[in-house]
Amino acid sequence: MTPAVGTPDDEETAKVERPSLVVHAVLRDVKRGAVYEATAARIRIGRSAECELSIPAAPGDGVSRVHCELGIDAFGSVVLLDAGSTNGTRLNGRPLTGATRVAAQQAVTLGDSGPTLLIEQLRIVAKR
């Protein structure tokens, strides 16, 4: 079967370069005033230097090495997901139970007594 006029066949479609989508996030530590910014397909947040947003944690804060992450779901929304942290992640004071859509002006708290990060900017951008 030949494709309809003006319709690319599968081989031509496979050749089309599609941009990758990444998350751009700016978060502010409510207590310390520090601002954290990252752009990546997956933004890991935690105390480890391997995280895209490495948050300094005081002893007893309950911040895991990789605590939570921001990513893009199948519907093109930015979601927040706990990364198996010991003390959990809260969004606007409520514990996360799975991937949850997030937006600017929401508050993410790492653990029970860890830092609260206000999402100042959050957007999806195309990266080629």
Side-chain angles (χ1 to χ4, degrees):
M1 181 169 152
T2 58
V5 175
T7 304
D9 63 19
D10 289 338
E11 189 175 311
E12 287 180 31
T13 302
K15 292 179 186 175
V16 174
E17 185 179 324
R18 290 183 175 79
S20 298
L21 298 178
V22 295
V23 177
H24 175 78
V26 178
L27 288 81
R28 181 177 45 86
D29 185 319
V30 175
K31 270 188 187 174
R32 298 178 184 132
V35 176
Y36 305 96
E37 184 172 357
T39 303
R42 173 181 71 160
I43 298 174
R44 295 168 297 168
I45 303 168
R47 71 174 194 270
S48 173
E50 76 183 71
C51 292
E52 286 72 26
L53 291 179
S54 181
I55 310 297
D61 273 358
V63 178
S64 294
R65 185 179 57 77
V66 178
H67 199 97
C68 60
E69 63 182 56
L70 292 165
I72 303 171
D73 70 8
F75 301 103
S77 299
V78 179
V79 293
L80 178 67
L81 178 67
D82 185 81
S85 68
T86 303
N87 296 301
T89 303
R90 297 180 180 277
L91 180 64
N92 299 324
R94 295 186 178 167
L96 286 181
T97 56
T100 304
R101 289 182 182 173
V102 291
Q105 302 310 309
Q106 290 185 309
V108 178
T109 303
L110 308 179
D112 294 326
S113 58
T116 296
L117 307 169
L118 178 66
I119 302 171
E120 291 192 339
Q121 293 178 33
L122 192 61
R123 67 180 194 257
I124 297 174
V125 295
K127 182 176 183 179
R128 291 201 174 254

